[in-house]
Amino acid sequence: MRIQKIGHKKTFLITLFVIFIMAAISGYTNILLGDVTDLATAGDVDGVIEVAKIAFVVTFFAIFVKITSNYFQKLYIKKTLVDIKVSFMDAMLSLNPVKLYTMKHAKYVSHLTHDMDRLEHQYYLNVLNVMNIVVNLIVSIIILVRIWWGFLIVATVLMVVFMMIARNTSKPVRKHEEKKSKSLEAYTNYVEESLEGFEVIAQHQLEDTRNLNFEKHAETLKQNQYTVEKKMTLVDGLNGALQMVILVVLIVMGLSVSHQMGMSLGETIVIMILFSNLIFPIQTLTPIITQMNAIATVFSEFNESLKDDAEKSDALVSSFNQFIFEDASLGYDEPVLSKVNFEINRGEKVLIVGPSGAGKSTILKTLLRQIEPLSGGVRLNQLPLASYNLESYYGLISMVDQIGFIFSGTLNDNVTLLKGGDVKSILSDIGLSYLDDSMKLKNDGSNLSGGERARILLGRAKFFDKEIILCDEIYAALDEAVGRQIESDILDTDKTVITISHIVFEENLDSYDRYLIVDNQSVKVSTDKQEVLIRMLEYELEMH
């Protein structure tokens, strides 16, 4: 992820320019005030009137510039937050599938919600504050230097001292910000887990236990937030005391310089105003920088979460000829399946069966490159699977699974995945001609039956017309007649079909070229329909 710590560049530069114009107008107004004071002291009424006219015009122009400045500052925040969120999402979806599959979702949800909000309020809004302060400081210094060059040294020393204070006092706050981020991630993870598992919680009366644990997470998060705020308060108090001492010294020094150099009353007033413009912004700048340095730890967390050490695959593939598993060990940290040997050729129909937990999905996840072989070879068209460019590889595969996400949108949008096109003939082919393609689907297909949902996923596969159709337990939640017909429709294609299922329909078994029986950490290749039926009966008896 390419982090832009200054935010959206274009609006940043425009906003900086407008703020500089605003600061220049403010500085010029101070000069006019000094001129009016000197003219009034000298009794030059006409001169006062002329300067007042100029000040009147400048004031109206300042109002216009101020409105413009506010507009671009709001635009800067909007563009920056959209950019960083889109950039984060793009980087996340570009991660290696293995990392995507094994990552903790709560961490990424927390980054895209809570951490983005924290960055907006504690970092990017402060970027604008720093921009305003620094520009006004520069303008004030330029005017002071025109009065006396020695003020440049004073301003430089002053800023160096305050920056050193801000840098040193932000270190302890950063440590507590990191703890706060971790507790925020744990809190988000617990909330997600409770929502996803609410049925189990309700069925087993786990509400009291979950509430007690939730209270602990909430208390930890709140305590870490309180600690950060307490540290910030202590730092602000220390900075304020140091700054007050420096402020008093500078006021005395400014008055002394003005007196010794015999400056007019108007120049003295301008010096005092500009010193005020110099001191108070710097006083404000220190806690702002402290806060920004503390929250900047989030950028490091983003980069760590999105770090992808996997080697990029470059080989392109345009067609499918053959999958070859050769003495492959498949699994996660430890093998689930060992010495796996089988082939799947173009146009073949292969059924993978076995008891729950035997490793059927491990084969599927290997084909989807969500996990990598622990040893041995898994090849596509004679090259290792991992050597192919991921986008090119996925261009071969359509996935039809039990979950098969349905997006909020029209039926047409869900079949075409927003690619657009006429899907009426496809709806007819998959037995959904009675549905209008403009029908609105909602809440992950909550207004669909299980059969309609499965048929839409099949329609999606037909629309994209890819060479391989992977089916994962799509018949589990369907009526037997519906499931049998959908399987028949899938097998009645010229595509390569790989089906994983713990439910088999005897009438369709003859349509498969071979069966992979997964059991006892091994895979047996069979062409015997009766062997499959016997095995399925055994698995069913074992379950009961």
Side-chain angles (χ1 to χ4, degrees), residues 90-102:
D90 181 60
M92 185 179 73
L93 296 179
S94 298
L95 289 172
N96 180 278
V98 175
K99 181 158 186 174
L100 275 173
Y101 180 71
T102 57

Side-chain angles (χ1 to χ4, degrees), residues 184-287:
L184 191 57
E185 179 190 332
Y187 175 84
T188 305
N189 185 50
Y190 196 82
V191 171
E192 279 193 340
E193 184 180 271
S194 298
L195 290 172
E196 290 173 359
F198 77 94
E199 289 182 353
V200 176
I201 294 170
Q203 289 168 7
H204 297 275
Q205 293 81 48
L206 301 176
E207 293 89 342
D208 291 342
T209 303
R210 298 297 296 186
N211 285 337
L212 184 62
N213 289 332
F214 176 76
E215 185 178 349
K216 290 178 181 177
H217 281 291
E219 284 180 357
T220 301
L221 175 59
K222 201 63 188 174
Q223 180 60 43
N224 287 334
Q225 289 174 334
Y226 169 74
T227 303
V228 170
E229 291 168 4
K230 184 174 71 174
K231 288 287 182 183
M232 286 295 300
T233 302
L234 291 173
V235 167
D236 290 348
L238 176 61
N239 288 340
L242 292 171
Q243 292 160 3
M244 188 58 68
V245 173
I246 297 172
L247 176 62
V248 172
V249 172
L250 286 173
I251 289 175
V252 172
M253 188 176 72
L255 290 172
S256 175
V257 169
S258 175
H259 175 72
Q260 290 178 10
M261 296 184 66
M263 296 179 182
S264 67
L265 177 60
E267 287 178 319
T268 302
I269 290 174
V270 171
I271 289 172
M272 295 312 301
I273 291 173
L274 292 174
F275 258 108
S276 175
N277 290 344
L278 203 63
I279 301 303
F280 287 108
I282 291 180
Q283 191 175 12
T284 307
L285 188 62
T286 308

